[in-house]
Amino acid sequence: MHTLVVGWSSILHGEATAGDVLAMDAVADALGTAGIPHDVAWSAVMCPPGGLRLDDVDPAHYTHLLFVCGPATGRSIAGLHERFAHCRRIAVGVSVLDPEDPVTAGFHRVIARDRPGADAGRDLAARAVPQLVPVLGVYLTSGQHEYGARRRHDSVRTGLEDWLGRLDAARLPLDTRLDPRDWRLPATAAQAGSVIARLDTVVTMRMHGLVLALRGGVPVLAVDPVAGGGKVTAQARAWDWPAVVGADELVPDRLDEQLGWCLSPAGRAAAEARAALAPSGFEQLDELVRDLLGDLSGEPGRDADGAFDRELGGELVEAAETRPHRA
């Protein structure tokens, strides 16, 4: 006797969900505990390293086929009936929409989670012991054209996306933009900060991703997409924050090293220490207030060289309009 466990995560064009995978894990665990020989087969997309792909399976090697979770109907399931026609075929933890459906009825036994006229059972996905991985908030950008020839945004973003895709972590794409018209974006700064506060680490190409993370005591891996360093590197120096990777050092080993530190107790303690600093920007605000108080007292504001401020003329506005803007 040898059993093959399959589900929608095993079918090439099937829709793999976390629930499907967890239900298959629950069945495999139960078979292992009972000492029943079995394999688990996956689609080419979902197959883990060293795993078994359903396309590579020799049906003659198995006596039983277990189909787990989801609706037990459709053309793909009919194909399993044909390919494993010699096996005893059992559907477990499935939804039965129509007991008379020939595809559903093609199983020798159906152990349903829900079916017409019967009480539903709790889904098998809830049986598996939860396994937690780090939660990363990710801020990417392809804009910032004001940096001109120093921009490395496209290559840095591509490199980051490739690296992020290989991590065993929950990755949340985030945006510093606020827009109350779009439910997918935060409408207020408080909403943005509340998301960051629940993260293990932030990975960011954006300066404000770094600032908002440290403001909330969350470690941040900052990646500067500007050759020679831009405002991301400058802001990291202002915070005395060490986890910064430049555009010219974007290699997986370097990113792994910095992320490992961010996820460590030392990284968390360092971020919390930055959050406990005195409120930022007091130098800039003091200078602004002094300037405005000078105007109130009747003395026009002066710039850093002591010269009186210039009036904004039309030629200055025209020059500004010809410069590239941040996207």
Side-chain angles (χ1 to χ4, degrees):
M1 176 180 176
H2 203 160
T3 299
L4 183 66
V5 179
V6 300
W8 285 104
S9 300
S10 312
I11 298 169
L12 178 59
H13 299 295
E15 181 181 272
T17 71
D20 293 333
V21 172
L22 289 171
M24 291 170 66
D25 287 345
V27 169
D29 288 345
L31 298 184
T33 300
I36 298 174
H38 68 280
D39 295 320
V40 180
W42 305 93
S43 71
V45 173
M46 292 301 299
C47 191
L52 176 65
R53 301 198 320 177
L54 181 59
D55 291 343
D56 298 332
V57 163
D58 180 3
H61 188 60
Y62 299 96
T63 60
H64 290 68
L65 179 77
L66 301 185
F67 183 81
V68 183
C69 198
T73 187
R75 182 175 301 177
S76 297
I77 311 305
L80 291 175
H81 285 315
E82 294 176 3
R83 188 177 175 195
F84 294 88
H86 66 284
C87 290
R88 183 162 189 258
R89 300 180 303 281
I90 301 174
V92 58
V94 297
S95 291
V96 175
L97 307 179
D98 178 6
E100 303 303 321
D101 183 328
V103 177
T104 303
F107 288 98
H108 295 94
R109 186 175 182 194
V110 176
I111 305 172
R113 67 183 172 197
D114 56 86
R115 66 192 311 155
D119 293 336
R122 287 185 294 166
D123 189 80
L124 290 172
R127 180 178 179 84
V129 177
Q131 296 179 340
L132 301 181
V133 297
V135 180
L136 311 180
V138 180
Y139 292 96
L140 303 178
T141 180
S142 297
Q144 300 178 334
H145 294 278
E146 63 267 28
Y147 284 105
R150 295 171 59 205
R151 293 182 69 256
R152 300 293 184 270
H153 291 62
D154 291 343
S155 61
V156 167
R157 179 167 183 153
T158 298
L160 265 181
E161 289 176 338
D162 290 344
W163 173 72
L164 287 165
R166 294 193 293 268
L167 295 178
D168 185 16
R171 295 141 297 193
L172 301 180
L174 300 177
D175 202 317
T176 57
R177 292 184 300 126
L178 306 180
D179 190 342
R181 302 163 300 178
D182 188 342
W183 66 267
R184 291 164 294 189
L185 294 174
T188 66
Q191 293 174 13
S194 296
V195 173
I196 290 175
R198 288 159 171 80
L199 300 173
D200 293 311
T201 291
V202 167
V203 178
T204 183
M205 293 171 61
R206 302 198 69 105
M207 182 200 71
H208 278 128
L210 171 102
V211 173
L212 295 177
L214 294 181
R215 172 178 174 264
V218 176
V220 54
L221 169 50
V223 180
D224 196 328
V226 178
K231 58 187 174 184
V232 172
T233 298
Q235 192 61 209
R237 288 173 180 161
W239 287 83
D240 191 25
W241 184 252
V244 184
V245 175
D248 58 349
E249 54 180 355
L250 192 75
V251 293
D253 287 348
R254 173 73 169 150
L255 293 170
D256 289 342
E257 175 190 16
Q258 294 300 307
L259 178 61
W261 180 79
C262 286
L263 291 171
S264 71
R268 173 62 66 166
E272 291 174 348
R274 300 314 188 275
L277 294 174
S280 64
F282 64 88
E283 305 97 334
Q284 301 165 57
L285 296 176
D286 283 352
E287 184 175 341
L288 171 65
V289 170
R290 285 197 303 270
D291 187 280
L292 294 176
L293 288 176
D295 287 347
L296 284 174
S297 66
E299 180 181 350
R302 299 173 181 269
D303 62 21
D305 297 325
F308 286 107
D309 295 336
R310 295 178 300 166
E311 293 185 2
L312 288 179
E315 70 280 358
L316 186 59
V317 174
E318 181 179 353
E321 289 177 345
T322 64
R323 295 179 63 82
H325 293 275
R326 180 179 63 183

